[in-house]
Amino acid sequence: MRRAVFYVVLALAAVAFLYPFLWMAATTFKSPAEVGGLSLIPDQPTLDNYRLMWARAPFGRALLNSLFVATTITFSVLVFGSAAAYALARLNFPGRGILNAVTIAVLLVPAQLTLIPTYTLIVQLGWVDSYAGLIAPFVFNATAILILRQFFMQVPRSLMDSARLDGMGELRILFTVFWPLAKAPLAMVGIFTFMGAWNEVLWPLLVVRDEQLMTLPQLLTVFSLGGGAGPRQLATKLAAAMVLVVPVVAAYIFLQRFFIESMASTGIKG
Amino acid sequence: MASVSFEHVRKDFGTATVVHDFDLHVANGEFVVLVGGSGCGKSTILRMLAGLEDITSGNVRIGEREVTHLPPRERDVAMVFQDYALYPHLTARENISLGLRLRKIPKAEIARRVQWAAELLELQPFLDRKPKKMSGGQRQRIAMGRAIVREPAVFLFDEPLSNLDAHLRGQMRHEIARLQRRVGTTTLYVTHDQVEAMTLADRLVVLEGGRIQQVGRPIDVYKAPANQFVAGFIGTPPMNFLDGQLERDKDELVFVSDALRFPLAAERRPHHAVDSNERVTLGVRPEDLTLTDTAGPATILGQLVLAEVLGATTHLHVEVGGRRLIAAIPSGPSPAAGAPISLSIDTRQLHFFASDGSSLLLGSNNS
Amino acid sequence: MRAEARSGLLLSGPYTAFLLIFSLFPIGFSVVLVLLKWDLVTTPSFVGLDNVQHLVGDARFWQAIVNTFVFLAIHLPLQMIVALALAWALNRPLLFRSFWRAAFFLPVIVSGAAVTILWSALYATDVGLINGLLARLDLGPVPWLTDPALAMPAIAVMATWKNVGFYVVIYLAGLQSVPQSCHEAIELEGATAWQSFRYVTLPLLKPQTLVVVTLSTINGFQLFIEPYVLTGGGPLRRTLSVVLYMYRNAFSYQKMGYAATLGLALALIIAVVLVVQRRVIGSAEEA
């Protein structure tokens, strides 16, 4: 009996987290008269909200922008970041200790401190309204480097030595020996980097004014701020939000374990 | 202090029965050891007494109270766990006194009891340390201190010495025995180590497959094991077993196997009328085998594989017709490996087991 | 090992350059900016400590700080209690554990912008879901985002909803690291379930609690998209956050010097708050 009550309460909690998303999805298919209602199935389903949203702002373009930016950042963090992590973990070079210390110290500095100076830098470089401006400050990620460095330090030295004896250069060693072993941390780092880049909204709001270059969350924000709060506006705004939410939720449903482990590990580090 | 009774206690996990119809009465102040291999159900029985496992059927009493359905906190038992279960964030003193503080016992009384436990177990030097700064033996004693300050009706020990090294184990065994004699609380102790069982117990309960194999004083279980399992489990090195059969030869009962043929001693023979050619397993303890030069009927010939010199005693591992026997003899000039060996069997100290394992000597005047 | 040193420098070179340009330079330059008045177009002018003086007397800034503390006062306890309760529930023998966990974690991975838009729909006075549910119970529509006293608490609840799944995972890991035998031991000692929780579980969860409080606090000071989209910082500036104010100064008013001053002040305040919190909660090494 007590177990039944327990499950009911748990289910209610889960509903509190899931129902708003379902309601949001349902509302995007409703006509103005039905918007605001509690039902999850519209009586007169319509795609008007989506058509309106798509016509009024370049969401397709924004989706591509987000994909491009997030993918580039993730690629850079994984490839160039692991090169740096490899060097820090396994190679002896002057300044290694300092580089390690600075990497850890940098994590303690809140982003707010560097936000404005970095913005002025981007402006001075002429990178406003450009992909470079969106991507450059995120090309490396200290947390990712620390995680990868930690992992690389645990790879047995003997693997490296025998590869060297076989005549492999360091880059070869990194990508043919270390990378296959590092699938788990690489996946983790990849996920939280991609998600972070995909969801980033403050930086694009500073650096990009051209609608054609806006990322998806940015365009969504701008779109929803320009307009009143009447019924059709609400459904259209939610339709725009769906474009942002659905791909992520779809990926999450299949990969939730990876998502959870990935994000949780950064919490403990950070 | 109280007695403990198990009546027809049974434990099922799903469809598997782990403890079958367990009956035991422990008298007030008695030290009873449950001993057996892993999976025999001993820890489960202990935990059922503590209330940490549900009882599928049957009842348990502590003193006059029936506790079968009571939660652990109301049973008035204290337990020493295999991993000590000390609270990592508290000092030793706080670990010991937490239970008393929870029961709102006055501070002065708590201090008195902690002091008493500290003296009894020599805890003073590290009372204010945290568990991670203590050795295994110290943690063990803190766990015991925590149990005794509660002055419970029953002490439970769940393999408390398994995580200690051999030397420490010996030391702690004495501590536990000494403690129990001093404090006098009814104690149930679970172990797989038969040395601990033999040295600590007032009475032993040997378990296997969730069933009691034998209950009795250590010396009685040693001398008169009820079945082959108990005979082989209790005693180090373990008893040697030889399969064979009993035959009637005129008035005598003769044991026959591929290596042996000898008449049974009059004082030591199965108590019931034996069918001729009844299959039987002979049991002889290593200390009842002696090196001999003369050949006789109760003499085994074999080849020495290994001689382990332990000090005053030497264990000879002898290969006889494909089987390995162990003899325990006083140390002295011993033969070289590979040499032929003659072992003489003391026929007054033999054990016989039927094909179902039960002892054929019980119920007779043999002792 | 010349070759190894060369390789090491080569492989870490880009990262070093990045750190210099995008981490170390901005940190240093922020201090410089504090002393300047600059609109990014004309040449900057040196104004000494004018920005700092202005900050000290800036009512909007202090309102933003107060707003943040209001947010934290609601968000932190709510976060800890809900996360711990859900983690405790997930730690029991349970069917479909990964489903429950995934449900609670879902808002964590969804973009803050999308979640904010969603909640603008939930909180909407006339067509919102929450007021719709209340209407079913014959309760009047509540002006969640337009009432100065309710707006920040409303944002605090939303932030809890978004992030609690993350802390559930952290607390769950902590709960699972408490040895089962400790719970059994204290149960035998006569503790009720509550006492077992209070004297054994909770103290051993200190490291996790510290993480929850620290990250939630940093999160609170970093609020931007929520007030930006939901309320624009109103009503009556009661949801203005420091980061939002900083963004406006940089993007709208083009006052780089002052914006940098705000950033520096914020960083210092965060540091102080975190130190105080760590003292209060106690060292995480106790467990």
Side-chain angles (χ1 to χ4, degrees):
Chain A
M1 187 56 228
R2 271 177 63 193
R3 297 207 39 92
V5 170
F6 178 67
Y7 276 104
V8 164
V9 172
L10 202 57
L12 281 175
V15 161
F17 287 90
L18 295 178
Y19 182 75
F21 289 106
L22 295 172
W23 180 82
M24 171 169 93
T27 307
T28 57
F29 294 109
K30 290 183 184 166
S31 43
E34 286 188 272
V35 166
L38 300 178
S39 66
L40 287 181
I41 320 254
D43 290 327
Q44 306 161 299
T46 167
L47 287 178
D48 280 351
N49 298 313
Y50 284 95
R51 283 195 211 105
L52 206 65
M53 171 262 298
W54 204 262
R56 281 173 56 177
F59 281 101
R61 179 66 199 251
L63 180 61
L64 289 173
N65 288 337
S66 276
L67 262 175
F68 176 67
V69 169
T71 310
T72 311
I73 289 176
T74 307
F75 177 81
S76 167
V77 166
L78 284 180
V79 172
F80 300 116
S82 56
Y86 174 76
L88 285 172
R90 282 298 188 200
L91 299 177
N92 228 327
F93 60 93
R96 178 169 100 158
I98 302 179
L99 198 53
N100 268 324
V102 172
T103 304
I104 297 177
V106 151
L107 284 177
L108 294 175
V109 175
Q112 293 70 45
L113 188 60
T114 56
L115 188 69
I116 302 297
T118 311
Y119 173 58
T120 63
L121 180 63
I122 296 291
V123 169
Q124 295 300 296
L125 285 171
W127 284 352
V128 171
D129 272 332
S130 76
Y131 287 114
L134 283 172
I135 294 174
F138 302 101
V139 153
F140 282 96
N141 180 328
T143 310
I145 288 182
L146 276 181
I147 291 180
L148 290 173
R149 185 190 77 140
Q150 194 74 1
F151 182 81
F152 287 155
M153 290 201 306
Q154 289 167 355
V155 175
R157 181 143 216 126
S158 48
L159 278 178
M160 228 178 103
D161 291 340
S162 72
R164 279 217 188 115
L165 283 172
D166 284 343
M168 290 203 219
E170 304 296 350
L171 274 181
R172 254 272 175 73
I173 297 179
L174 168 61
F175 290 114
T176 59
V177 177
F178 278 65
W179 259 46
L181 294 171
K183 287 204 193 103
L186 282 173
M188 267 187 359
V189 167
I191 289 182
F192 78 69
T193 305
F194 190 87
M195 291 309 302
W198 182 266
N199 291 337
E200 176 64 40
V201 70
L202 173 52
W203 183 252
L205 279 173
L206 263 181
V207 161
V208 168
R209 291 148 185 75
D210 179 359
E211 243 188 22
Q212 292 298 310
L213 277 172
M214 286 188 181
T215 59
L216 203 45
Q218 180 185 15
L219 188 61
L220 170 65
T221 305
V222 166
F223 180 69
S224 70
L225 283 177
R232 178 142 252 151
Q233 301 284 0
L234 183 68
T236 318
K237 281 196 268 183
L238 289 180
M242 286 287 280
V243 180
L244 189 49
V245 168
V246 167
V248 170
V249 172
Y252 179 70
I253 290 180
F254 293 108
L255 300 173
Q256 21 139 312
R257 246 204 22 235
F258 294 104
F259 272 87
I260 296 180
E261 281 167 22
S262 161
M263 314 278 279
S265 75
T266 63
I268 298 173
K269 295 280 181 197
Chain B
M1 268 225 297
S3 63
V4 173
S5 291
F6 291 86
E7 289 159 25
H8 301 298
V9 169
R10 175 198 168 108
K11 175 70 183 170
D12 294 334
F13 279 118
T15 49
T17 302
V18 165
V19 176
H20 302 259
D21 203 30
F22 184 78
D23 282 291
L24 182 70
H25 180 81
V26 179
N28 209 344
E30 214 185 348
F31 195 129
V32 166
V33 175
L34 303 179
V35 67
S38 49
C40 70
K42 55 194 192 293
S43 279
T44 311
I45 292 170
L46 199 73
R47 289 168 64 87
M48 284 197 280
L49 178 57
L52 298 172
E53 299 279 359
D54 293 324
I55 299 174
T56 307
S57 66
N59 15 15
V60 180
R61 264 180 233 285
I62 297 182
E64 292 303 308
R65 289 194 307 153
E66 173 164 348
V67 301
T68 317
H69 300 292
L70 287 183
R73 46 190 296 266
E74 290 177 34
R75 297 199 186 195
D76 198 23
V77 302
M79 187 152 154
V80 178
F81 292 82
Q82 188 173 355
D83 67 355
Y84 322 129
L86 296 181
Y87 312 121
H89 57 295
L90 299 179
T91 63
R93 189 192 301 271
E94 289 164 348
N95 258 282
I96 293 177
S97 58
L98 180 60
L100 302 176
R101 280 183 278 145
L102 286 178
R103 290 178 196 245
K104 309 256 200 295
I105 296 192
K107 278 207 190 142
E109 173 67 9
I110 295 182
R112 184 191 71 81
R113 292 201 203 179
V114 171
Q115 179 67 6
W116 166 69
E119 275 165 11
L120 211 54
L121 292 161
E122 290 167 19
L123 304 174
Q124 283 97 332
F126 46 91
L127 263 185
D128 291 301
R129 279 194 223 158
K130 294 217 178 126
K132 65 177 178 229
K133 296 223 197 287
M134 291 191 242
S135 69
Q138 290 170 337
R139 287 186 209 160
Q140 183 53 278
R141 282 188 276 158
I142 298 294
M144 294 206 290
R146 182 171 67 180
I148 68 177
V149 293
R150 283 210 14 236
E151 294 174 5
V154 185
F155 282 152
L156 303 178
F157 288 86
D158 190 356
E159 307 215 41
L161 306 184
S162 319
N163 292 346
L164 300 176
D165 67 64
H167 175 72
L168 206 45
R169 235 182 285 155
Q171 245 186 310
M172 292 304 297
R173 243 176 36 222
H174 305 144
E175 291 261 342
I176 293 178
R178 183 178 66 93
L179 185 72
Q180 202 271 345
R181 274 196 296 275
R182 269 291 288 278
V183 177
T185 307
T186 313
T187 302
L188 260 84
Y189 187 106
V190 160
T191 180
H192 61 273
D193 182 329
Q194 51 105 28
V195 174
E196 274 170 42
M198 293 288 284
T199 55
L200 289 172
D202 291 333
R203 272 194 305 154
L204 275 186
V205 179
V206 182
L207 289 158
E208 164 77 359
R211 293 180 213 272
I212 297 182
Q213 305 296 312
Q214 189 166 1
V215 179
R217 297 182 306 156
I219 191 65
D220 295 332
V221 173
Y222 183 80
K223 290 228 174 123
N227 60 36
Q228 196 168 338
F229 174 80
V230 176
F233 189 84
I234 302 284
T236 284
M239 185 185 283
N240 298 294
F241 294 113
L242 293 166
D243 292 327
Q245 51 195 65
L246 294 180
E247 288 177 359
R248 282 216 166 272
D249 189 351
K250 300 172 209 119
D251 296 331
E252 294 195 313
L253 216 49
V254 178
F255 176 77
V256 182
S257 78
D258 44 354
L260 289 172
R261 185 191 178 89
F262 63 89
L264 303 186
E267 324 91 317
R268 194 89 173 167
R269 52 176 65 197
H271 66 283
H272 64 274
V274 167
D275 300 327
S276 197
N277 303 332
E278 180 169 327
R279 298 213 66 79
V280 88
T281 301
L282 186 76
V284 56
R285 292 212 181 267
E287 58 267 28
D288 296 323
L289 291 169
T290 42
L291 267 184
T292 179
D293 301 324
T294 51
T299 306
I300 300 185
L301 282 131
Q303 203 180 36
L304 181 67
V305 175
L306 175 64
E308 290 179 305
V309 180
L310 279 88
T313 314
T314 294
H315 293 165
L316 298 178
H317 296 247
V318 181
E319 170 131 358
V320 177
R323 333 188 68 177
R324 189 75 74 89
L325 300 182
I326 304 182
I329 61 169
S331 295
S334 36
I341 291 278
S342 277
L343 293 172
S344 165
I345 302 175
D346 185 348
T347 55
R348 295 161 305 169
Q349 302 296 335
L350 290 176
H351 299 263
F352 300 97
F353 303 99
S355 46
D356 69 350
S358 60
S359 170
L360 293 167
L361 292 176
L362 289 186
S364 63
N365 295 335
N366 304 299
S367 63
Chain C
M1 293 222 75
R2 302 289 313 280
E4 186 177 327
R6 226 185 0 230
S7 306
L9 288 172
L10 218 62
L11 285 179
S12 62
Y15 176 54
T16 311
F18 175 85
L19 278 182
L20 282 169
I21 301 174
F22 287 105
S23 287
L24 298 176
F25 167 74
I27 295 177
F29 193 55
S30 74
V31 180
V32 171
L33 273 176
V34 169
L35 307 170
L36 298 179
K37 186 176 152 93
W38 193 17
D39 62 0
L40 283 180
V41 180
T42 58
T43 44
S45 52
F46 182 81
V47 292
L49 291 175
D50 275 4
N51 283 328
V52 179
Q53 247 184 331
H54 186 218
L55 178 81
V56 173
D58 187 350
R60 289 201 173 91
F61 171 69
W62 293 110
Q63 179 68 56
I65 295 289
V66 168
N67 293 342
T68 308
F69 278 105
V70 169
F71 172 87
L72 288 175
I74 298 174
H75 179 63
L76 282 182
L78 199 56
Q79 190 86 289
M80 285 198 293
I81 294 173
V82 174
L84 196 48
L86 290 177
W88 174 86
L90 289 186
N91 198 32
R92 326 257 302 154
L94 192 62
L95 292 172
F96 308 126
R97 176 176 289 114
S98 12
F99 169 73
W100 306 115
R101 195 179 60 158
F104 303 141
F105 202 81
L106 179 58
V108 176
I109 58 140
V110 173
S111 140
V115 168
T116 307
I117 306 269
L118 169 60
W119 279 76
S120 75
L122 297 183
Y123 276 140
T125 315
D126 34 344
V127 291
L129 175 63
I130 294 182
N131 282 344
L133 286 168
L134 290 177
R136 286 273 175 92
L137 302 170
D138 279 331
L139 293 171
V142 180
W144 300 104
L145 297 175
T146 47
D147 183 334
L150 287 179
M152 204 44 148
I155 293 183
V157 170
M158 171 179 88
T160 307
W161 181 87
K162 178 162 194 329
N163 287 311
V164 81
F166 182 78
Y167 301 112
V168 168
V169 172
I170 291 186
Y171 267 135
L172 189 56
L175 284 176
Q176 286 171 341
S177 70
V178 177
Q180 173 71 349
S181 53
C182 276
H183 288 301
E184 291 178 346
I186 201 172
E187 213 188 331
L188 282 172
E189 300 226 73
T192 57
W194 166 249
Q195 283 173 323
S196 168
F197 183 76
R198 186 177 153 204
Y199 290 101
V200 174
T201 311
L202 215 48
L204 289 176
L205 285 178
K206 258 200 200 148
Q208 285 76 20
T209 301
L210 192 61
V211 168
V212 171
V213 169
T214 302
L215 291 183
S216 294
T217 302
I218 294 177
N219 192 35
F221 278 103
Q222 288 179 338
L223 278 185
F224 166 74
I225 196 68
E226 297 87 347
Y228 185 56
V229 169
L230 288 177
T231 55
L236 300 182
R237 270 183 253 121
R238 296 285 282 272
T239 60
L240 183 67
S241 73
V242 180
V243 177
L244 178 55
Y245 189 41
M246 192 167 78
Y247 172 76
R248 288 223 178 105
N249 270 282
F251 196 74
S252 311
Y253 315 152
Q254 256 116 4
K255 294 161 77 175
M256 297 300 132
Y258 193 57
T261 315
L262 287 168
L264 189 54
L266 183 59
L268 288 172
I269 292 179
I270 292 179
V272 168
V273 170
L274 290 182
V275 165
V276 169
Q277 277 176 343
R278 182 160 243 240
R279 283 279 171 77
V280 166
I281 292 179
S283 163
E285 283 88 76
E286 267 184 10

